[in-house]
Amino acid sequence: MNVYGLIVLAALLLEFALRVTADVLNLRALDPALPAEFQGIYDADRYARSQDYTRVRTRFGLLRATFDLALLIAFWFAGGFGWLDHRVRGLGLGPIASGLCFVAVLALARALVALPFGSWSTFVIEERFGFNRTTPRTFFTDLLKGLALTALLGGPLLAGILWLFERSGGHAWLWCWLVSTLVSIAVQFIAPTWIMPLFNRFTPLAAGGLREAILAYARSVDFPLQDIFLIDGSRRSTKANAFFTGFGRHKRVALFDTLVERLGTVELLAVLAHEVGHFKRRHVLKGMLLGLVEMGGLFFLLSIFLGHQGLYDAFFVTRPSVYTGLVLFALLLTPLGLLLSVLGAALSRRYERQADAFAVVTTVSGGPLATALKRLSVDSLSNLTPHPFYVALHYSHPPVCDRIHALEGASP
Ligand SMILES: [Zn+2]
C-alpha cells in the first residue's frame, strides 16, 4: 500500500463516515410535530407516513452504500483491476480496443450490481408508498436504452480520448478537453429532439387558458419561449416535475402531466417563473462553463498522473496503460470529488434561492410558488425537517420550509 492507495482508501472511508453521520443526524431530526408552514395541509397520518418514507429510504441507501464500498474494496484488494487488465490483454487487441473492453466490462458489472437495488427501490419502496407507475417492461427497456446510449455516445468519445493520449504527447489533455467540450455541447443540442423522446412522449400543450397564460408570462419577462410540451411522466412515477431545454431563441418547456394535474394555472406559472429565473440569472450558462472548466482541470490532472507508476502499484496493476490509468485516476479523484460535490450543492442552493426570488418579483407574489411547493412536498412525502449537515452534504435545493418562509416573507 503506497501513498496513492492510502489517499483513495482514506477518502472512501471518510466519504462513507460522513454519509453515515449525515444519515443518523437526519433520522434523529425527524420531529413528529408538524412544521407551522404545513398546518392545515398535511394531516397527521400522512405526515407520519412521510417520515416513514424518509426512514425506509435512508436505511436502504445505507445498505446500498455499504455494499458498494465493500465490493469496491474487495475487488481492489483481490487484485481485480490487474486481473481484468491481464485478461483483456490476453485478447491481443490494440491499446484502444483493449481500453474499450476494460471500461465496458467494469461499466457492465456496475450496471449489473445496481440492478437489484434499482428494482427494489422502484418496485418495493416506491410501490409501497404509492409513487410507482413503472411497469417491469418500462424498467427494463429504460435500462437497455440507457446502456445502448452510453455505448453509442460514450464509446466513441472514450476511444477518441485514449487515441489522443496514445498519440499526441504533452498536449493530449488540451485536445481531449476540446473534443469533450464539443461532444457535450452537441449532446445538449440533440438531447431534446433525439434522446429525450426515446424515454418519454412529448405532446404540444393544447391551446387554451394554460398555454395562453404561459406564453403571456414568457412575453412579460422577455423570454423567447418557442414551444410548450406535455410529457408523460406518469408512465414512471406520480412525482411531478418541469424543465426547460434549448438554446438561444429556441427555448422549449416540458411540463410533466403529473404537474399539470396537481397544480392550478397560477401555481404552474409560479413554477415556470422559477425555471425562467434560472435562465435569466444565467445559472444554466454559468453551470455549463463551470462544468467545462472542471473538465479541463481533470484532463490536466489526468495527464500528470497517467505517468505515475505509484498509481498503478496502488491498485496492483503491473503494466501501466492509458485506459487503466483513466479508471484508477477516477478513484484517485474521490477526495476532490467529495469537495466539489459539497461546493456544487451549496452553489446550487444559492441559485435556487435566486430563482425563487425571480419568481416572486415577476409574478408579483411569492404566495403561489409557496402553495405549489407545499402541495408538491406533500405529494412526494418530502422530508420537511432535514438536518443541516445532511443538507450541506446532499441537498441541491434549500429545505422546503426555508424556501416557503422566504417566499411568504417576500409577499406583500
Ligand atoms: Zn430550480
Side-chain angles (χ1 to χ4, degrees):
M1 169 78 57
N2 62 21
V3 64
Y4 291 95
L6 281 175
I7 289 174
V8 175
L9 191 61
L12 287 172
L13 294 175
L14 173 71
E15 192 174 51
F16 186 72
L18 288 177
R19 191 201 157 106
V20 174
T21 310
D23 280 347
V24 169
L25 290 173
N26 209 37
L27 289 181
R28 281 205 197 143
L30 289 177
D31 183 349
L34 184 64
E37 293 86 345
F38 282 84
Q39 293 294 345
I41 301 178
Y42 244 131
D43 60 67
D45 271 1
R46 190 156 173 91
Y47 188 55
R49 195 167 156 75
S50 83
Q51 299 192 322
D52 206 25
Y53 184 54
T54 299
R55 277 187 209 103
V56 169
R57 294 239 311 196
T58 306
R59 281 190 215 117
F60 180 70
L62 268 178
L63 181 75
R64 174 159 193 191
T66 311
F67 182 83
D68 284 351
L69 180 67
L71 190 67
L72 174 60
I73 290 178
F75 185 75
W76 170 4
F77 287 95
F81 292 104
W83 170 82
L84 181 60
D85 185 35
H86 188 73
R87 299 304 295 257
V88 167
R89 282 175 191 275
L91 299 174
L93 308 162
I96 292 167
S98 301
L100 287 175
C101 267
F102 184 79
V103 173
V105 170
L106 288 176
L108 275 176
R110 240 177 98 140
L112 213 61
V113 168
L115 186 59
F117 288 102
S119 34
W120 185 270
S121 166
T122 302
F123 296 112
V124 178
I125 299 180
E126 297 293 293
E127 184 76 39
R128 179 176 148 198
F129 287 90
F131 296 126
N132 180 44
R133 296 243 185 105
T134 310
T135 60
R137 186 192 158 90
T138 306
F139 185 84
F140 280 103
T141 47
D142 278 0
L143 192 75
L144 292 178
K145 283 180 199 165
L147 282 175
L149 264 179
T150 309
L152 266 165
L153 295 173
L157 180 62
L158 177 63
I161 289 169
L162 294 175
W163 186 81
L164 284 168
F165 270 109
E166 296 280 347
R167 294 296 173 92
S168 40
H171 291 306
W173 71 274
L174 268 177
W175 286 109
C176 287
W177 188 14
L178 181 71
V179 169
S180 306
T181 300
L182 293 177
V183 169
S184 72
I185 291 174
V187 166
Q188 295 198 44
F189 260 105
I190 63 166
T193 36
W194 293 93
I195 300 179
M196 291 174 191
L198 291 175
F199 295 91
N200 281 101
R201 186 177 299 131
F202 288 71
T203 36
L205 181 65
L210 179 59
R211 190 183 165 84
E212 287 315 309
I214 293 174
L215 289 173
Y217 171 76
R219 274 195 301 275
S220 78
V221 291
D222 193 23
F223 184 76
L225 185 59
Q226 212 179 34
D227 297 301
I228 308 168
F229 289 98
L230 262 187
I231 164 175
D232 57 344
S234 57
R235 265 184 68 194
R236 294 189 179 78
S237 171
T238 60
K239 292 179 180 172
N241 207 346
F243 59 86
F244 279 94
T245 61
F247 288 83
R249 311 299 297 175
H250 305 285
K251 302 260 192 327
R252 20 162 81 187
V253 60
L255 305 169
F256 275 47
D257 49 1
T258 39
L259 190 74
V260 178
E261 267 166 37
R262 287 297 298 151
L263 298 182
T265 302
V266 184
E267 286 84 29
L268 260 172
L269 272 187
V271 170
L272 289 185
H274 168 100
E275 297 300 330
V276 169
H278 281 308
F279 276 95
K280 288 284 182 179
R281 296 274 177 262
R282 301 194 182 282
H283 299 156
V284 182
L285 186 68
K286 285 183 200 159
M288 256 181 75
L289 289 178
L290 265 178
L292 292 182
V293 169
E294 190 183 324
M295 191 157 70
L298 292 183
F299 276 125
F300 176 69
L301 287 176
L302 171 66
S303 73
I304 292 177
F305 285 106
L306 271 183
H308 283 208
Q309 181 64 40
L311 178 63
Y312 303 91
D313 293 342
F315 291 92
F316 316 112
V317 171
T318 43
R319 290 172 62 188
S321 63
V322 177
Y323 61 83
T324 43
L326 196 69
V327 170
L328 303 180
F329 174 72
L331 286 166
L332 185 64
L333 280 179
T334 310
L336 185 64
L338 183 62
L339 183 69
L340 287 179
S341 90
V342 170
L343 292 177
L347 184 65
S348 167
R349 289 193 299 274
R350 187 186 147 89
Y351 284 170
E352 294 304 330
R353 281 191 291 270
Q354 291 177 354
D356 280 352
F358 180 89
V360 172
V361 171
T362 57
T363 61
V364 189
S365 150
L369 186 53
T371 308
L373 286 176
K374 285 177 195 173
R375 214 170 273 170
L376 296 176
S377 308
V378 173
D379 285 352
S380 60
L381 296 175
S382 310
N383 181 6
L384 302 185
T385 56
H387 190 277
F389 186 62
Y390 190 92
V391 172
L393 216 54
H394 298 295
Y395 268 43
S396 60
H397 290 60
V400 68
C401 287
D402 294 2
R403 291 179 73 186
I404 290 168
H405 204 71
L407 287 166
E408 290 183 337
S411 298

